Amino acid sequence: KAGVTQTPRYLIKTRGQQVTLSCSPISGHRSVSWYQQTPGQGLQFLFEYFSETQRNKGNFPGRFSGRQFSNSRSEMNVSTLELGDSALYLCASSLFAGGAYGYTFGSGTRLTVV
Amino acid sequence: GEDVEQSLFLSVREGDSSVINCTYTDSSSTYLYWYKQEPGAGLQLLTYIFSNMDMKQDQRLTVLLNKKDKHLSLRIADTQTGDSAIYFCAIRGPGGGADGLTFGKGTHLIIQP
């Protein structure tokens, strides 16, 4: 079966712009989580959606937002981009909320802010 | 909040066993995971263990959990060049995992011929 698909793979944006990243989970998975990966901070939890509802959000400013559609596909949006937002953004899906038996991760979207 | 610590690097000879260690602070952790990341790729789930278990074996992989010392380890038997990657320990806290997983900074596994 198809894995977790993230688009685009690479993005270059300018400071102050906004960006939308997309994630299609494994078919049947209703939980989608987003993580930010940087060399300095490592992997940090952004938020999780389950059945179109945000369960929780990590310690990120309000510029980071997301949503989940009825087909479980998810998007995350970052507004007013800062240089520090440059990172690999990883999406992960799971059958169950909270990923009890583990998440399946996508290959990520590498965002560069210049 | 939860804190997860791992050594940054581990170097082993091809064919030897690799043991990657992880310590954590939250004793109420429910599930503990090992993920593998190869260059330019996302994370691949290798295995997981429930907090009420102390060992799990899956082919070349053995996970040991010492809850008293809050210590988790991953042993890879007969290490091959294809095992070269970054290995992340991750912890799911209580509350149904609503706060996401807490990851260690990752251990770079280097294979010597």
Side-chain angles (χ1 to χ4, degrees):
Chain A
K1 58 183 177 182
V4 177
T5 303
Q6 291 190 246
T7 56
R9 285 298 309 273
Y10 302 93
L11 265 178
I12 300 176
K13 289 285 187 180
T14 304
R15 265 184 305 175
Q17 286 187 314
Q18 76 161 17
V19 68
T20 299
L21 312 182
S22 180
C23 172
S24 293
I26 288 174
S27 179
H29 284 193
R30 292 161 61 195
S31 164
V32 174
S33 296
W34 290 88
Y35 287 80
Q36 181 195 65
Q37 186 177 25
T38 60
Q41 298 297 316
L43 282 148
Q44 294 186 283
F45 170 71
L46 277 158
F47 26 65
E48 181 191 12
Y49 286 88
F50 184 80
S51 294
E52 301 178 66
T53 301
Q54 187 181 91
R55 293 187 77 223
N56 210 342
K57 184 176 179 180
N59 190 22
F60 281 84
R63 301 185 296 107
F64 291 80
S65 63
R67 58 178 175 167
Q68 186 180 33
F69 302 96
S70 58
N71 62 358
S72 294
R73 191 178 70 85
S74 177
E75 288 181 346
M76 69 162 279
N77 184 278
V78 188
S79 62
T80 319
L81 283 165
E82 300 176 0
L83 295 178
D85 297 332
S86 293
L88 180 66
Y89 289 89
L90 292 163
C91 167
S93 77
S94 173
L95 264 175
F96 306 103
Y101 299 101
Y103 288 104
T104 301
F105 281 80
S107 298
T109 293
R110 183 160 300 278
L111 172 66
T112 303
V113 182
V114 298
Chain B
E2 176 80 76
D3 193 23
V4 180
E5 298 284 340
Q6 297 179 242
S7 301
L8 281 183
F9 296 96
L10 176 66
S11 179
V12 298
R13 287 183 181 274
E14 190 175 0
D16 286 353
S17 291
S18 305
V19 180
I20 303 171
N21 295 301
C22 168
T23 58
Y24 58 97
T25 55
D26 190 349
S27 58
S28 58
S29 301
T30 55
Y31 293 78
L32 303 97
Y33 309 87
W34 284 102
Y35 282 89
K36 175 184 180 183
Q37 187 175 36
E38 296 180 90
L43 301 175
Q44 175 193 354
L45 176 66
L46 291 175
T47 187
Y48 62 89
I49 189 168
F50 302 125
S51 57
N52 62 357
M53 298 168 65
D54 50 22
M55 188 182 92
K56 181 179 181 182
Q57 190 152 2
D58 185 359
Q59 299 183 336
R60 291 193 299 127
L61 305 178
T62 302
V63 178
L64 294 178
L65 174 61
N66 182 327
K67 282 195 71 175
K68 175 176 166 290
D69 294 338
K70 299 176 194 170
H71 182 267
L72 181 73
S73 68
L74 173 70
R75 178 177 177 268
I76 305 172
D78 187 25
T79 308
Q80 302 299 310
T81 54
D83 295 324
S84 180
I86 304 174
Y87 290 80
F88 292 92
C89 166
I91 310 294
R92 178 183 187 247
D99 294 327
L101 302 183
T102 301
F103 285 84
K105 291 288 177 69
T107 298
H108 294 245
L109 180 60
I110 300 161
I111 315 300
Q112 298 174 8

